[in-house]
């Protein structure tokens, strides 16, 4: 829930457009805001919430359901708070229903990927690379380095490029870290609440 609230509110914060920006002023701030906002609103960032939710679950079916729930909850917080603060117009939630549909269709599998990533072995290693590779590929899939459509304000054009570079750098760093750890994955410490990842994995296999 902390991850859901954090991403929902941070992405909302950087979606706020000041009146001066609409008048063509504060272009430097607009560039910074849009660059950060594009990263926070990227598909990779939102998929990572479902991935992390699945990572925390002990069983695959709960990872699937919680992956969906985490994504939908993040969207609801984002749009409901935005509407309450008049950042978004009334009815904005319904107008963006496609994102809720995408959350239901895509984030269940992402929860499963997160669950698998918390295990050990080569298949789990590949699962841990899904989000980093998504960050690397997304700027190219969305054509963030193309000047299209042309004649856009410089803050819009270069914020697209900058956010693309940030995603690639983050993806490369994350992938390098995952590969350096190898198939053994992260070394989790035992927590008071869940007994640690090794215990949860054993319980899952036993069930």
């Amino acid at each position: 829930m902390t991850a859901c609230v954090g991403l929902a509110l941070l992405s909302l914060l950087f979606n706020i457009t000041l009146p001066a920006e609409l008048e063509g002023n504060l272009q430097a701030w607009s560039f910074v805001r849009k660059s950060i906002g594009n990263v926070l609103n990227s598909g990779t960032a939102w998929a990572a919430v479902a991935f992390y939710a699945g990572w925390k679950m002990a069983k695959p079916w709960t990872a699937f359901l919680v992956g969906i729930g985490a994504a939908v909850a993040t969207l609801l917080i984002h749009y409901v708070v935005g509407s309450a603060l008049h950042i978004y117009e009334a009815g904005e939630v319904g107008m963006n229903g496609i994102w809720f549909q995408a959350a239901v269709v895509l984030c269940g599998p992402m929860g499963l990927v997160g669950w698998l990533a918390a295990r050990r072995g080569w298949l789990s290693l590949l699962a841990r690379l899904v989000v980093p590779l998504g960050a690397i590929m997304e700027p190219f899939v969305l054509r963030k380095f193309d000047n299209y459509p042309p004649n856009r304000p410089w803050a819009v054009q270069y914020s697209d490029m900058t956010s693309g570079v940030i995603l690639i750098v983050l993806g490369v760093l994350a992938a390098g870290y995952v590969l350096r750890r190898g198939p053994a994955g992260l070394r989790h410490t035992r927590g008071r609440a869940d007994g640690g990842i090794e215990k949860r994995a054993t319980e899952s296999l036993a069930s």
Side-chain angles (χ1 to χ4, degrees):
M1 185 54 67
T2 301
C4 294
V5 173
L7 180 59
L9 297 185
L10 281 174
S11 60
L12 178 65
L13 175 65
F14 284 93
N15 279 351
I16 299 175
T17 303
L18 299 176
E21 291 181 71
L22 298 175
E23 296 171 359
N25 301 318
L26 297 178
Q27 287 298 289
W29 163 247
S30 183
F31 163 74
V32 173
R33 180 183 66 79
K34 290 178 183 294
S35 297
I36 299 174
N38 286 344
V39 174
L40 293 172
N41 285 287
S42 65
T44 301
W46 288 70
V49 171
F51 178 94
Y52 179 65
W55 175 285
K56 302 293 287 185
M57 295 297 105
K59 299 180 183 297
W61 68 270
T62 55
F64 183 90
L65 295 177
V66 172
I68 296 174
V72 172
T74 306
L75 286 167
L76 280 174
I77 295 168
H78 180 84
Y79 285 114
V80 169
V81 174
S83 298
L85 297 178
H86 303 290
I87 298 171
Y88 295 135
E89 297 179 358
E92 194 85 11
V93 177
M95 293 170 58
N96 288 276
I98 186 173
W99 300 119
F100 289 88
Q101 296 172 23
V104 172
V105 173
L106 301 176
C107 290
M110 280 304 304
L112 281 176
V113 171
W115 175 86
L116 179 60
R119 272 69 219 158
R120 295 176 181 270
W122 290 103
L123 189 58
S124 297
L125 174 63
L126 294 177
R128 289 191 289 275
L129 287 171
V130 168
V131 173
L133 291 178
I136 295 171
M137 294 172 57
E138 182 170 342
F140 299 102
V141 173
L142 298 183
R143 300 174 61 185
K144 285 187 173 291
F145 301 113
D146 296 348
N147 184 21
Y148 182 83
N151 302 320
R152 293 180 299 167
W154 72 267
V156 177
Q157 178 181 345
Y158 289 107
S159 64
D160 271 355
M161 295 181 181
T162 302
S163 63
V165 170
I166 293 173
L167 283 171
I168 291 172
V169 170
L170 291 175
V172 169
L173 291 175
Y177 180 76
V178 169
L179 292 173
R180 185 172 67 85
R181 300 298 304 191
L186 301 176
R187 297 184 182 275
H188 293 265
T189 57
R190 291 184 179 274
R192 290 174 296 177
D194 56 19
I197 191 68
E198 291 83 6
K199 179 179 178 181
R200 289 189 284 121
T202 302
E203 292 173 347
S204 178
L205 292 174
S207 63

